[in-house]
Amino acid sequence: MLTQYHIEIMLASLGGRFSPRAMSVIIQANVGQDRLAGQVGHDEFHFDNNAFEKTYAYIEEQRALVVSSLRSGDAKSAWQAFGRFLHSVQDFYAHSNYITLWVDRFDPSTGSGQAALPPPPEVDPLDPSLIRSPDLRSGKIYLPLDGLYFIKRLRPLILRLIPRDSHAWMNLDTPEQGFKFDYAMHAAIKRTVIEFEKTTEGFSGEMCRLFLDTQSK
Ligand SMILES: [Zn+2]
């Protein structure tokens, strides 16, 4: 997802919960994952290349870092680790076919007796049968073509050359990718709230105060 959409997701999901300075560190760490050095060789930052297990391990490693940083009183490191792994969970909806699998259960025309497609805010971000589905895939990165895809002028040519299981074909990074983009955005917003709740579940009062930075509000 492009930077502006990661920021939109962060503000829509967590905007009121943290102090402004905490939020700004979390967002910076989140969008920093898309820096050039974070794009190459870091499938786990973006759920690319079907690296599901590697990405889940990365998320839990960063979540553990949030907890250990807060225990040692280092709120800034906790905010950074939190922002980093939220980037991965948000990219899941833009880089995998989860949204396509979810949407395909419904009938877009409502003519066949299948249920009609619910509006984007009703998307389920964690349907267990889809999360574990053997059909779940994420876009493969074919270099250099997937890199050149970001040059808009070259896009039509790249799409003719690159396989269908590529990031270029599969991504829901921007509204230009069609109606499924809104579903990816809403799923990412809901999932971010779920990850916030999961991360803070066992926090002591002092850890909550440090993490949310309530005194500097
Ligand atoms: Zn990314």
Side-chain angles (χ1 to χ4, degrees):
M1 262 169 185
L2 299 191
T3 296
Q4 69 192 92
Y5 302 114
H6 279 290
I7 296 173
E8 197 180 318
I9 292 162
M10 295 301 287
L11 294 176
S13 56
L14 302 177
R17 296 176 202 249
F18 289 87
S19 73
R21 75 165 180 184
M23 203 57 195
S24 117
V25 173
I26 295 167
I27 288 177
Q28 261 184 43
N30 178 322
V31 302
Q33 299 293 83
D34 276 336
R35 68 194 183 278
L36 195 59
Q39 294 277 8
V40 183
H42 283 291
D43 296 336
E44 75 280 16
F45 291 2
H46 322 280
F47 262 107
D48 287 327
N49 274 316
N50 294 310
F52 293 115
E53 291 313 314
K54 195 179 170 192
T55 308
Y56 290 129
Y58 175 71
I59 290 168
E60 293 316 319
E61 172 201 301
Q62 295 300 309
R63 196 195 313 275
L65 191 54
V66 171
V67 175
S68 62
S69 301
L70 289 174
R71 288 210 170 113
S72 59
D74 183 356
K76 192 176 177 198
S77 297
W79 297 331
Q80 288 169 331
F82 188 57
R84 284 193 293 266
F85 85 73
L86 288 181
H87 184 99
S88 307
V89 302
Q90 293 161 3
D91 271 355
F92 174 71
Y93 301 98
H95 294 171
S96 79
N97 62 346
Y98 179 91
I99 294 294
T100 296
L101 294 174
W102 191 84
V103 160
D104 282 352
R105 290 173 159 182
F106 301 95
D107 180 4
S109 64
T110 71
S112 72
Q114 248 176 301
L117 180 63
E122 287 175 35
V123 67
D124 178 354
L126 272 175
D127 183 312
S129 66
L130 294 183
I131 295 284
R132 287 193 295 266
S133 168
D135 297 326
L136 189 69
R137 304 267 184 281
S138 74
K140 292 189 188 170
I141 306 294
Y142 293 92
L143 292 174
L145 291 180
D146 252 304
L148 297 171
Y149 168 82
F150 289 97
I151 303 169
K152 269 199 176 161
R153 201 164 37 83
L154 296 178
R155 205 164 272 185
L157 173 69
I158 299 301
L159 288 173
R160 259 186 282 146
L161 298 171
I162 202 163
R164 290 276 174 161
D165 63 356
S166 60
H167 167 273
W169 272 106
M170 286 181 62
N171 82 82
L172 298 175
D173 282 343
T174 65
E176 291 160 31
Q177 299 304 100
F179 78 98
K180 289 178 195 167
F181 172 75
D182 272 342
Y183 288 85
M185 285 293 284
H186 280 278
I189 291 167
K190 287 181 170 185
R191 177 71 179 274
T192 301
V193 174
I194 292 169
E195 294 298 331
F196 169 80
E197 286 166 355
K198 186 174 172 186
T199 304
T200 56
E201 217 170 22
F203 279 14
S204 65
E206 173 60 12
M207 283 166 82
C208 272
R209 192 198 61 71
L210 253 184
F211 193 46
L212 304 179
D213 197 29
T214 34
Q215 277 175 7
S216 83
K217 257 186 189 171

